[in-house]
Amino acid sequence: MADVPSTCPVYIGLAAPGSRSPNHAVVTRTIGRHLVEGDAARLPWFNTSPPPVLRILTAASWGRADAMVLRPDDLPSDLMSDSWRGLVTMLAGGHRRSDAETSVLADLLVRLGFVRSAARLLGIADGQPLSDFEFSSSTARAELGVLSRLLPRSVDLVALAAAASRHVRFAPRQRLAFVNFVMVRHGKAGADSPLLDELFAVGRETLEVMSCNDFDYWMARHTLYRAAAYIPFLRDDRERTLELLAQAREAVLAARPRTHLERLSLEDHVFPMYETLARTNVVYGRLNQALEATDELVAISPWDYRTWFAKGQVLLRLGHFEDAIAAYQRVYALGGHPVGQAAYYVGFAHEKLGRTAESVEAYQLSHRVDPTVPAVREKLKGTSG
């Protein structure tokens, strides 16, 4: 990828995070370490699920095609950390796993891009029709995570999750995961339904019966209200959307983490909170509020390319092209595939400022990183004339 290797080593081999690793990579490494050390039960719930393709993109940026493997045990040995070797041992059946360990192991496999390995671990057969599938009460959340990756547009999966959200055989936190999944799926698809109101009510009732510590309660409340904000958003109810997002923010700010793991969980929930606030405020034309939300992202995770994409987009909308260039160029130091998109916007901002040479240079970098993007080819064709 045009000599811009990713600076984060976590997703290939579960190596220790570097100084430029984003928070979600720190979470992934932490999950792996606690799992192989037999301490999975201490892990709190995390929120961010990085795209499974991240390992492949990182391998490509390193020029390591041999790391684009289909199974964890096929990774080249020089890339394996002790945690990765422990993961391979667990998959080989070296010891009996608890349900909690199985769930965490499946989640880790998805994070590392081994979605089908996670499916096999959970007993989900390739091509298994959902009409023959039933969520397990002990590993339901992990099963939902795997199926959501295998079936990204399945309406049957949404219906199955909606039905499971009402089932008392599932723990309250699992039922909330089903509720949130359905609301988010509908929201991202732009599909309103009376079902969403019903599920929000189910979610609020479920919150009231949760038996957990204060931290877990506030995290659960936060994710419920943030997901529920999609309902009025779909109905063009700006006031109610912002009200629910404010309640989600209040919940996450009310949480008081007591341990390092809980602090890590809190940061993992706070990031998408402010990312959502930034995007929503952009849609509503509240650009100054959106910019304030991106300032929070910088404070939370300055080594996450999504931070600078969010800030850059707001600055472009404001017409602050110099600042937008500076924001997107922060991605260059992180390396990897995101540099291509960041360079495109750097070129766009330079173009707006009338700097032809600088814009061409940025577009050329974008094209070298990812030569498959038609918009970049068009820009280069236009500037060459």
Side-chain angles (χ1 to χ4, degrees):
M1 286 187 183
D3 298 321
V4 287
S6 173
T7 58
C8 177
V10 170
Y11 291 96
I12 297 185
L14 282 175
S19 60
R20 294 177 180 173
S21 291
N23 286 357
H24 63 75
V26 177
V27 169
T28 299
R29 162 71 174 183
T30 299
I31 291 172
R33 185 169 55 82
H34 279 266
L35 177 65
V36 301
E37 291 176 0
D39 205 16
R42 286 187 56 216
L43 290 167
W45 281 41
F46 293 104
N47 183 80
T48 302
S49 181
V53 74
L54 201 50
R55 174 176 55 86
I56 301 300
L57 294 176
T58 302
S61 78
W62 287 9
R64 293 295 301 260
D66 56 348
M68 301 179 188
V69 294
L70 297 178
R71 303 186 316 176
D73 54 323
D74 288 334
L75 191 76
S77 59
D78 67 300
L79 295 175
M80 287 189 182
S81 67
D82 289 342
S83 292
W84 192 282
R85 290 188 175 88
L87 167 66
V88 170
T89 299
M90 292 189 76
L91 286 172
H95 73 285
R96 185 173 181 176
R97 292 186 302 269
S98 66
D99 289 335
E101 288 176 321
T102 297
S103 293
V104 172
L105 179 54
D107 175 55
L108 181 62
L109 288 169
V110 171
R111 284 172 168 268
L112 296 174
F114 299 106
V115 180
R116 295 200 176 278
S117 294
R120 287 192 293 272
L121 177 72
L122 296 169
I124 301 172
D126 282 348
Q128 179 179 354
L130 288 177
S131 57
D132 295 339
F133 181 80
E134 183 174 313
F135 286 109
S136 164
S137 60
S138 56
T139 56
R141 187 173 183 243
E143 292 165 348
L144 180 63
V146 169
L147 289 170
S148 68
R149 293 296 188 181
L150 292 174
L151 305 168
R153 287 174 291 277
S154 171
V155 295
D156 291 336
L157 178 58
V158 172
L160 191 66
S165 71
R166 300 181 176 93
H167 239 295
V168 294
R169 71 185 181 90
F170 297 109
R173 195 71 190 268
Q174 289 179 326
R175 297 205 300 273
L176 283 173
F178 288 129
V179 167
N180 294 341
F181 170 78
V182 175
M183 290 194 293
V184 170
R185 270 286 174 97
H186 271 265
K188 289 185 175 180
D192 191 12
S193 168
L195 172 67
L196 302 180
D197 299 288
E198 298 173 24
L199 289 183
F200 187 27
V202 169
R204 294 195 303 271
E205 293 167 5
T206 304
L207 268 181
E208 297 308 312
V209 299
M210 280 185 65
S211 175
C212 61
N213 61 48
D214 284 347
F215 179 81
D216 288 341
Y217 170 80
W218 289 116
M219 291 297 95
R221 182 179 175 88
H222 158 74
T223 54
L224 174 65
Y225 278 78
R226 181 159 56 85
Y230 269 119
I231 303 173
F233 183 81
L234 290 171
R235 298 168 187 171
D236 296 322
D237 186 342
R238 168 174 160 164
E239 183 178 351
R240 180 60 173 159
T241 300
L242 293 174
E243 178 187 342
L244 288 175
L245 287 177
Q247 289 179 272
R249 182 175 179 272
E250 289 168 5
V252 83
L253 294 178
R256 294 292 180 266
R258 302 155 301 172
T259 66
H260 169 71
L261 288 174
E262 288 185 349
R263 284 192 294 274
L264 199 58
S265 173
L266 178 62
E267 291 173 351
D268 198 49
H269 284 80
V270 169
F271 187 95
M273 174 74 261
Y274 285 108
E275 190 178 31
T276 301
L277 282 171
R279 289 175 176 173
T280 306
N281 279 310
V282 166
V283 171
Y284 290 150
R286 293 158 45 99
L287 297 181
N288 288 329
Q289 290 88 339
L291 192 59
E292 290 173 2
T294 66
D295 290 340
E296 297 290 345
L297 293 178
V298 173
I300 297 162
S301 191
W303 303 114
D304 193 321
Y305 75 88
R306 297 172 300 168
T307 293
W308 301 107
F309 278 11
K311 180 169 280 295
Q313 285 296 308
V314 179
L315 291 167
L316 286 179
R317 292 287 291 269
L318 285 166
H320 298 172
F321 298 117
E322 292 284 10
D323 291 337
I325 290 169
Y328 282 115
Q329 285 181 332
R330 290 290 296 267
V331 178
Y332 290 6
L334 307 179
H337 192 262
V339 172
Q341 189 176 353
Y344 172 82
Y345 285 114
V346 169
F348 175 83
H350 276 305
E351 193 174 347
K352 286 292 185 180
L353 292 169
R355 300 169 181 164
T356 302
E358 290 88 344
S359 67
V360 170
E361 182 181 1
Y363 290 142
Q364 287 173 338
L365 171 59
S366 180
H367 185 67
R368 291 198 303 274
V369 174
D370 186 351
T372 68
V373 182
V376 179
R377 292 199 298 268
E378 288 300 314
K379 285 291 187 182
L380 286 171
K381 187 186 301 182
T383 54
S384 64

